[in-house]
Short mmCIF file of all heavy atoms in Angstrom, two decimals:
data_model
loop_
_atom_site.label_atom_id
_atom_site.label_comp_id
_atom_site.label_asym_id
_atom_site.label_seq_id
_atom_site.Cartn_x
_atom_site.Cartn_y
_atom_site.Cartn_z
N ARG A 1 17.31 13.89 -1.95
CA ARG A 1 18.66 13.57 -2.42
C ARG A 1 18.68 13.29 -3.92
O ARG A 1 19.63 13.63 -4.61
CB ARG A 1 19.21 12.37 -1.65
CG ARG A 1 19.39 12.62 -0.16
CD ARG A 1 19.92 11.36 0.53
NE ARG A 1 20.10 11.57 1.96
CZ ARG A 1 19.18 11.34 2.87
NH1 ARG A 1 18.00 10.90 2.49
NH2 ARG A 1 19.42 11.55 4.15
N THR A 2 17.62 12.59 -4.40
CA THR A 2 17.57 12.19 -5.81
C THR A 2 16.19 12.46 -6.38
O THR A 2 15.21 12.66 -5.64
CB THR A 2 17.90 10.70 -5.98
OG1 THR A 2 16.85 9.93 -5.36
CG2 THR A 2 19.24 10.34 -5.35
N GLU A 3 16.11 12.42 -7.71
CA GLU A 3 14.81 12.58 -8.35
C GLU A 3 13.91 11.39 -8.08
O GLU A 3 12.68 11.53 -7.98
CB GLU A 3 14.99 12.77 -9.86
CG GLU A 3 13.70 13.16 -10.58
CD GLU A 3 13.88 13.32 -12.07
OE1 GLU A 3 15.00 13.05 -12.58
OE2 GLU A 3 12.91 13.70 -12.74
N ALA A 4 14.49 10.20 -7.93
CA ALA A 4 13.69 9.01 -7.61
C ALA A 4 13.02 9.17 -6.25
O ALA A 4 11.84 8.83 -6.07
CB ALA A 4 14.56 7.76 -7.63
N GLU A 5 13.75 9.69 -5.27
CA GLU A 5 13.14 9.95 -3.97
C GLU A 5 12.03 10.98 -4.09
O GLU A 5 10.99 10.87 -3.44
CB GLU A 5 14.20 10.45 -2.99
CG GLU A 5 15.13 9.37 -2.47
CD GLU A 5 16.03 9.88 -1.35
OE1 GLU A 5 15.93 11.08 -1.02
OE2 GLU A 5 16.82 9.09 -0.83
N ALA A 6 12.24 11.99 -4.92
CA ALA A 6 11.20 13.01 -5.13
C ALA A 6 9.94 12.38 -5.73
O ALA A 6 8.82 12.73 -5.33
CB ALA A 6 11.74 14.11 -6.05
N LEU A 7 10.11 11.45 -6.65
CA LEU A 7 8.97 10.78 -7.27
C LEU A 7 8.16 10.00 -6.24
O LEU A 7 6.92 10.06 -6.22
CB LEU A 7 9.46 9.84 -8.38
CG LEU A 7 8.38 9.11 -9.17
CD1 LEU A 7 7.55 10.09 -9.97
CD2 LEU A 7 9.01 8.08 -10.10
N LEU A 8 8.85 9.28 -5.35
CA LEU A 8 8.17 8.50 -4.32
C LEU A 8 7.49 9.40 -3.30
O LEU A 8 6.37 9.13 -2.85
CB LEU A 8 9.15 7.55 -3.62
CG LEU A 8 9.76 6.46 -4.52
CD1 LEU A 8 10.82 5.68 -3.76
CD2 LEU A 8 8.68 5.52 -5.03
N LEU A 9 8.15 10.50 -2.93
CA LEU A 9 7.55 11.44 -1.99
C LEU A 9 6.32 12.10 -2.61
O LEU A 9 5.31 12.32 -1.93
CB LEU A 9 8.57 12.49 -1.58
CG LEU A 9 8.04 13.60 -0.66
CD1 LEU A 9 7.44 13.03 0.61
CD2 LEU A 9 9.15 14.58 -0.32
N GLU A 10 6.40 12.42 -3.89
CA GLU A 10 5.25 13.01 -4.59
C GLU A 10 4.03 12.11 -4.46
O GLU A 10 2.92 12.58 -4.16
CB GLU A 10 5.59 13.23 -6.06
CG GLU A 10 4.44 13.81 -6.87
CD GLU A 10 4.70 13.73 -8.36
OE1 GLU A 10 5.29 12.72 -8.81
OE2 GLU A 10 4.30 14.66 -9.08
N ALA A 11 4.21 10.80 -4.66
CA ALA A 11 3.09 9.86 -4.55
C ALA A 11 2.52 9.85 -3.13
O ALA A 11 1.30 9.80 -2.94
CB ALA A 11 3.54 8.46 -4.96
N GLN A 12 3.41 9.89 -2.13
CA GLN A 12 2.94 9.92 -0.74
C GLN A 12 2.08 11.15 -0.48
O GLN A 12 1.01 11.06 0.14
CB GLN A 12 4.14 9.92 0.21
CG GLN A 12 4.95 8.64 0.21
CD GLN A 12 6.17 8.76 1.11
OE1 GLN A 12 6.27 9.69 1.91
NE2 GLN A 12 7.10 7.84 0.99
N LEU A 13 2.55 12.29 -0.92
CA LEU A 13 1.83 13.54 -0.65
C LEU A 13 0.53 13.64 -1.43
O LEU A 13 -0.46 14.18 -0.93
CB LEU A 13 2.74 14.74 -0.96
CG LEU A 13 4.00 14.85 -0.09
CD1 LEU A 13 4.84 16.04 -0.52
CD2 LEU A 13 3.63 14.96 1.37
N ILE A 14 0.51 13.12 -2.65
CA ILE A 14 -0.74 13.12 -3.42
C ILE A 14 -1.78 12.28 -2.71
O ILE A 14 -2.96 12.65 -2.61
CB ILE A 14 -0.49 12.60 -4.86
CG1 ILE A 14 0.29 13.63 -5.67
CG2 ILE A 14 -1.81 12.29 -5.56
CD1 ILE A 14 0.72 13.15 -7.04
N LYS A 15 -1.36 11.13 -2.20
CA LYS A 15 -2.30 10.27 -1.48
C LYS A 15 -2.78 10.94 -0.20
O LYS A 15 -3.94 10.80 0.19
CB LYS A 15 -1.64 8.94 -1.16
CG LYS A 15 -2.59 7.94 -0.52
CD LYS A 15 -2.00 6.56 -0.47
CE LYS A 15 -3.01 5.57 0.08
NZ LYS A 15 -2.48 4.20 0.12
N ARG A 16 -1.88 11.68 0.47
CA ARG A 16 -2.26 12.33 1.73
C ARG A 16 -3.21 13.50 1.50
O ARG A 16 -4.23 13.64 2.18
CB ARG A 16 -1.02 12.82 2.46
CG ARG A 16 -1.34 13.42 3.84
CD ARG A 16 -0.18 14.24 4.39
NE ARG A 16 1.06 13.49 4.45
CZ ARG A 16 2.22 14.04 4.81
NH1 ARG A 16 2.28 15.33 5.12
NH2 ARG A 16 3.32 13.32 4.83
N PHE A 17 -2.92 14.36 0.52
CA PHE A 17 -3.67 15.60 0.35
C PHE A 17 -4.77 15.51 -0.72
O PHE A 17 -5.67 16.34 -0.73
CB PHE A 17 -2.72 16.75 0.00
CG PHE A 17 -1.76 17.09 1.10
CD1 PHE A 17 -0.41 16.82 0.96
CD2 PHE A 17 -2.20 17.67 2.27
CE1 PHE A 17 0.49 17.14 1.97
CE2 PHE A 17 -1.32 18.00 3.29
CZ PHE A 17 0.03 17.72 3.15
N ARG A 18 -4.65 14.56 -1.67
CA ARG A 18 -5.62 14.41 -2.77
C ARG A 18 -5.93 15.76 -3.43
O ARG A 18 -7.07 16.23 -3.45
CB ARG A 18 -6.90 13.74 -2.27
CG ARG A 18 -6.65 12.43 -1.57
CD ARG A 18 -7.88 11.62 -1.35
NE ARG A 18 -8.41 11.09 -2.58
CZ ARG A 18 -7.93 10.03 -3.23
NH1 ARG A 18 -6.88 9.39 -2.77
NH2 ARG A 18 -8.48 9.61 -4.34
N PRO A 19 -4.91 16.42 -4.01
CA PRO A 19 -5.10 17.77 -4.58
C PRO A 19 -5.99 17.74 -5.81
O PRO A 19 -6.00 16.77 -6.58
CB PRO A 19 -3.67 18.19 -4.95
CG PRO A 19 -2.75 17.21 -4.27
CD PRO A 19 -3.52 15.94 -4.17
N PRO A 20 -6.73 18.82 -6.05
CA PRO A 20 -7.68 18.85 -7.18
C PRO A 20 -7.03 18.95 -8.55
O PRO A 20 -7.70 18.72 -9.56
CB PRO A 20 -8.52 20.10 -6.88
CG PRO A 20 -7.65 20.96 -6.04
CD PRO A 20 -6.83 20.02 -5.21
N TYR A 21 -5.74 19.31 -8.65
CA TYR A 21 -5.10 19.45 -9.95
C TYR A 21 -4.13 18.31 -10.26
O TYR A 21 -3.45 18.34 -11.28
CB TYR A 21 -4.38 20.79 -10.05
CG TYR A 21 -5.34 21.96 -10.16
CD1 TYR A 21 -5.69 22.69 -9.03
CD2 TYR A 21 -5.93 22.30 -11.37
CE1 TYR A 21 -6.59 23.75 -9.12
CE2 TYR A 21 -6.82 23.35 -11.47
CZ TYR A 21 -7.15 24.07 -10.34
OH TYR A 21 -8.05 25.11 -10.44
N ASN A 22 -4.07 17.29 -9.39
CA ASN A 22 -3.27 16.11 -9.67
C ASN A 22 -4.14 14.98 -10.20
O ASN A 22 -5.32 14.86 -9.83
CB ASN A 22 -2.57 15.60 -8.40
CG ASN A 22 -1.34 16.40 -8.06
OD1 ASN A 22 -1.37 17.26 -7.19
ND2 ASN A 22 -0.23 16.10 -8.73
N VAL A 23 -3.58 14.16 -11.08
CA VAL A 23 -4.24 12.91 -11.45
C VAL A 23 -4.30 12.04 -10.21
O VAL A 23 -3.30 11.83 -9.52
CB VAL A 23 -3.47 12.20 -12.57
CG1 VAL A 23 -4.08 10.84 -12.86
CG2 VAL A 23 -3.44 13.05 -13.83
N LEU A 24 -5.49 11.53 -9.88
CA LEU A 24 -5.67 10.78 -8.64
C LEU A 24 -6.11 9.36 -8.93
O LEU A 24 -6.98 9.11 -9.77
CB LEU A 24 -6.72 11.44 -7.75
CG LEU A 24 -6.43 12.85 -7.24
CD1 LEU A 24 -7.58 13.34 -6.37
CD2 LEU A 24 -5.13 12.88 -6.46
N LEU A 25 -5.51 8.42 -8.23
CA LEU A 25 -5.98 7.04 -8.23
C LEU A 25 -7.13 6.98 -7.25
O LEU A 25 -6.95 6.95 -6.04
CB LEU A 25 -4.85 6.10 -7.80
CG LEU A 25 -5.24 4.63 -7.55
CD1 LEU A 25 -5.91 4.03 -8.77
CD2 LEU A 25 -4.00 3.83 -7.18
N ARG A 26 -8.37 6.99 -7.80
CA ARG A 26 -9.55 7.11 -6.94
C ARG A 26 -9.75 5.85 -6.11
O ARG A 26 -10.13 5.92 -4.95
CB ARG A 26 -10.79 7.36 -7.80
CG ARG A 26 -11.39 8.72 -7.55
CD ARG A 26 -12.74 8.90 -8.16
NE ARG A 26 -12.91 8.36 -9.47
CZ ARG A 26 -13.50 9.01 -10.48
NH1 ARG A 26 -13.88 10.23 -10.30
NH2 ARG A 26 -13.68 8.44 -11.64
N ASP A 27 -9.54 4.67 -6.72
CA ASP A 27 -9.76 3.40 -6.03
C ASP A 27 -8.50 3.05 -5.26
O ASP A 27 -7.61 2.38 -5.77
CB ASP A 27 -10.10 2.30 -7.04
CG ASP A 27 -10.51 1.01 -6.37
OD1 ASP A 27 -10.44 0.95 -5.13
OD2 ASP A 27 -10.90 0.07 -7.08
N ASP A 28 -8.39 3.53 -4.00
CA ASP A 28 -7.18 3.30 -3.23
C ASP A 28 -7.37 2.27 -2.13
O ASP A 28 -6.64 2.25 -1.15
CB ASP A 28 -6.66 4.62 -2.63
CG ASP A 28 -7.69 5.27 -1.71
OD1 ASP A 28 -8.82 4.77 -1.64
OD2 ASP A 28 -7.34 6.26 -1.06
N LYS A 29 -8.36 1.40 -2.28
CA LYS A 29 -8.55 0.34 -1.29
C LYS A 29 -7.39 -0.64 -1.36
O LYS A 29 -6.83 -0.89 -2.42
CB LYS A 29 -9.87 -0.40 -1.54
CG LYS A 29 -11.10 0.47 -1.42
CD LYS A 29 -12.36 -0.34 -1.52
CE LYS A 29 -12.57 -0.91 -2.90
NZ LYS A 29 -12.79 0.07 -3.92
N SER A 30 -7.05 -1.21 -0.22
CA SER A 30 -5.96 -2.18 -0.20
C SER A 30 -6.39 -3.46 -0.89
O SER A 30 -7.57 -3.80 -0.92
CB SER A 30 -5.55 -2.48 1.25
OG SER A 30 -6.63 -3.05 1.97
N PHE A 31 -5.43 -4.16 -1.45
CA PHE A 31 -5.71 -5.40 -2.16
C PHE A 31 -5.52 -6.58 -1.21
O PHE A 31 -4.65 -6.57 -0.34
CB PHE A 31 -4.76 -5.56 -3.35
CG PHE A 31 -5.09 -4.66 -4.50
CD1 PHE A 31 -4.68 -3.34 -4.52
CD2 PHE A 31 -5.84 -5.13 -5.56
CE1 PHE A 31 -4.98 -2.50 -5.57
CE2 PHE A 31 -6.15 -4.30 -6.63
CZ PHE A 31 -5.72 -2.99 -6.63
N PRO A 32 -6.33 -7.63 -1.39
CA PRO A 32 -6.17 -8.81 -0.53
C PRO A 32 -5.04 -9.72 -1.02
O PRO A 32 -4.75 -9.78 -2.21
CB PRO A 32 -7.53 -9.51 -0.67
CG PRO A 32 -8.03 -9.11 -2.02
CD PRO A 32 -7.51 -7.72 -2.27
N PHE A 33 -4.41 -10.39 -0.07
CA PHE A 33 -3.36 -11.36 -0.34
C PHE A 33 -3.72 -12.68 0.34
O PHE A 33 -4.57 -12.72 1.24
CB PHE A 33 -2.01 -10.88 0.22
CG PHE A 33 -1.35 -9.79 -0.58
CD1 PHE A 33 -1.85 -8.50 -0.58
CD2 PHE A 33 -0.22 -10.06 -1.32
CE1 PHE A 33 -1.24 -7.49 -1.31
CE2 PHE A 33 0.41 -9.06 -2.07
CZ PHE A 33 -0.11 -7.79 -2.05
N ILE A 34 -3.06 -13.74 -0.06
CA ILE A 34 -3.09 -14.99 0.69
C ILE A 34 -1.82 -15.04 1.53
O ILE A 34 -0.72 -14.82 1.02
CB ILE A 34 -3.17 -16.22 -0.24
CG1 ILE A 34 -4.58 -16.34 -0.82
CG2 ILE A 34 -2.80 -17.50 0.50
CD1 ILE A 34 -4.76 -17.50 -1.78
N LEU A 35 -2.00 -15.28 2.82
CA LEU A 35 -0.87 -15.33 3.75
C LEU A 35 -0.70 -16.76 4.26
O LEU A 35 -1.65 -17.34 4.80
CB LEU A 35 -1.11 -14.38 4.93
CG LEU A 35 -0.17 -14.53 6.14
CD1 LEU A 35 1.27 -14.30 5.74
CD2 LEU A 35 -0.59 -13.57 7.25
N LEU A 36 0.49 -17.29 4.08
CA LEU A 36 0.86 -18.59 4.66
C LEU A 36 1.74 -18.28 5.86
O LEU A 36 2.92 -17.96 5.73
CB LEU A 36 1.60 -19.44 3.63
CG LEU A 36 1.88 -20.90 4.01
CD1 LEU A 36 0.61 -21.63 4.38
CD2 LEU A 36 2.59 -21.62 2.87
N ARG A 37 1.13 -18.32 7.05
CA ARG A 37 1.82 -17.88 8.26
C ARG A 37 2.93 -18.85 8.65
O ARG A 37 2.84 -20.05 8.40
CB ARG A 37 0.83 -17.75 9.41
CG ARG A 37 -0.26 -16.73 9.15
CD ARG A 37 -1.16 -16.55 10.33
NE ARG A 37 -0.47 -16.00 11.48
CZ ARG A 37 -1.03 -15.16 12.35
NH1 ARG A 37 -2.27 -14.75 12.17
NH2 ARG A 37 -0.37 -14.73 13.39
N GLU A 38 3.96 -18.28 9.29
CA GLU A 38 5.10 -19.09 9.72
C GLU A 38 5.41 -18.86 11.19
O GLU A 38 6.54 -19.05 11.64
CB GLU A 38 6.33 -18.75 8.86
CG GLU A 38 6.16 -19.13 7.39
CD GLU A 38 7.36 -18.75 6.55
OE1 GLU A 38 8.19 -17.96 7.04
OE2 GLU A 38 7.46 -19.22 5.40
N ASP A 39 4.41 -18.44 11.97
CA ASP A 39 4.61 -18.19 13.39
C ASP A 39 4.03 -19.30 14.26
O ASP A 39 3.73 -19.10 15.43
CB ASP A 39 4.00 -16.84 13.78
CG ASP A 39 2.53 -16.72 13.38
OD1 ASP A 39 2.00 -17.67 12.76
OD2 ASP A 39 1.92 -15.69 13.69
N HIS A 40 3.85 -20.50 13.67
CA HIS A 40 3.30 -21.65 14.38
C HIS A 40 3.90 -22.90 13.76
O HIS A 40 4.22 -22.91 12.56
CB HIS A 40 1.77 -21.66 14.25
CG HIS A 40 1.06 -22.59 15.18
ND1 HIS A 40 0.98 -23.95 14.96
CD2 HIS A 40 0.38 -22.35 16.34
CE1 HIS A 40 0.29 -24.51 15.94
NE2 HIS A 40 -0.08 -23.55 16.80
N LYS A 41 4.07 -23.94 14.53
CA LYS A 41 4.69 -25.14 13.97
C LYS A 41 3.79 -25.83 12.94
O LYS A 41 4.26 -26.62 12.12
CB LYS A 41 5.07 -26.12 15.08
CG LYS A 41 3.90 -26.72 15.85
CD LYS A 41 4.43 -27.71 16.88
CE LYS A 41 3.30 -28.36 17.66
NZ LYS A 41 3.82 -29.33 18.65
N PHE A 42 2.48 -25.52 12.97
CA PHE A 42 1.57 -25.97 11.92
C PHE A 42 1.04 -24.71 11.22
O PHE A 42 0.03 -24.13 11.65
CB PHE A 42 0.41 -26.80 12.49
CG PHE A 42 0.83 -28.13 13.03
CD1 PHE A 42 0.96 -28.34 14.40
CD2 PHE A 42 1.10 -29.18 12.16
CE1 PHE A 42 1.34 -29.57 14.90
CE2 PHE A 42 1.49 -30.43 12.66
CZ PHE A 42 1.62 -30.61 14.03
N PRO A 43 1.72 -24.24 10.17
CA PRO A 43 1.35 -22.96 9.54
C PRO A 43 -0.10 -22.92 9.08
O PRO A 43 -0.67 -23.93 8.66
CB PRO A 43 2.31 -22.87 8.35
CG PRO A 43 3.50 -23.68 8.77
CD PRO A 43 2.94 -24.82 9.57
N ARG A 44 -0.63 -21.73 9.14
CA ARG A 44 -2.04 -21.48 8.79
C ARG A 44 -2.11 -20.69 7.50
O ARG A 44 -1.29 -19.80 7.25
CB ARG A 44 -2.68 -20.69 9.93
CG ARG A 44 -4.06 -20.11 9.65
CD ARG A 44 -4.42 -19.16 10.79
NE ARG A 44 -5.71 -18.53 10.59
CZ ARG A 44 -6.15 -17.50 11.30
NH1 ARG A 44 -5.39 -17.00 12.26
NH2 ARG A 44 -7.34 -16.97 11.06
N VAL A 45 -3.11 -20.98 6.66
CA VAL A 45 -3.32 -20.21 5.43
C VAL A 45 -4.57 -19.36 5.62
O VAL A 45 -5.59 -19.83 6.15
CB VAL A 45 -3.46 -21.14 4.20
CG1 VAL A 45 -4.68 -22.05 4.30
CG2 VAL A 45 -3.50 -20.34 2.91
N GLN A 46 -4.48 -18.07 5.23
CA GLN A 46 -5.59 -17.15 5.47
C GLN A 46 -5.56 -15.99 4.49
O GLN A 46 -4.57 -15.76 3.81
CB GLN A 46 -5.50 -16.60 6.90
CG GLN A 46 -4.29 -15.71 7.14
CD GLN A 46 -4.19 -15.21 8.56
OE1 GLN A 46 -3.73 -15.93 9.43
NE2 GLN A 46 -4.62 -13.98 8.78
N LYS A 47 -6.67 -15.27 4.45
CA LYS A 47 -6.74 -14.03 3.67
C LYS A 47 -6.15 -12.90 4.50
O LYS A 47 -6.30 -12.87 5.72
CB LYS A 47 -8.20 -13.73 3.32
CG LYS A 47 -8.40 -12.46 2.51
CD LYS A 47 -9.82 -12.39 1.96
CE LYS A 47 -10.87 -12.34 3.03
NZ LYS A 47 -12.22 -12.22 2.50
N HIS A 48 -5.48 -11.95 3.82
CA HIS A 48 -4.82 -10.86 4.55
C HIS A 48 -4.94 -9.56 3.77
O HIS A 48 -4.80 -9.53 2.55
CB HIS A 48 -3.34 -11.19 4.78
CG HIS A 48 -2.59 -10.10 5.48
ND1 HIS A 48 -2.59 -9.96 6.84
CD2 HIS A 48 -1.83 -9.06 5.00
CE1 HIS A 48 -1.86 -8.91 7.18
NE2 HIS A 48 -1.39 -8.35 6.08
#
């Protein structure tokens, strides 16, 4: 619908296919977060 959508889709497809003529983000490991859970009356803090 828009060029912005095209830009986001381009990133999805580059990550899926990893084409040889695209600039690639080689280090695609997920980053860790700190999660303060809210599914218990005494919330838990953990790595996520």
Side-chain angles (χ1 to χ4, degrees):
R1 297 179 180 91
T2 66
E3 189 181 4
E5 285 188 359
L7 182 65
L8 295 175
L9 176 57
E10 178 193 37
Q12 293 176 13
L13 296 178
I14 288 173
K15 185 169 185 179
R16 184 196 305 175
F17 295 110
R18 306 193 70 78
Y21 289 97
N22 281 100
V23 174
L24 297 180
L25 172 55
R26 246 191 319 225
D27 187 355
D28 59 353
K29 298 187 292 295
S30 62
F31 285 82
F33 285 72
I34 286 179
L35 167 60
L36 189 55
R37 299 184 64 145
E38 295 178 346
D39 54 357
H40 193 281
K41 66 178 181 179
F42 291 103
R44 169 190 178 192
V45 63
Q46 66 182 80
K47 180 168 63 178
H48 178 83

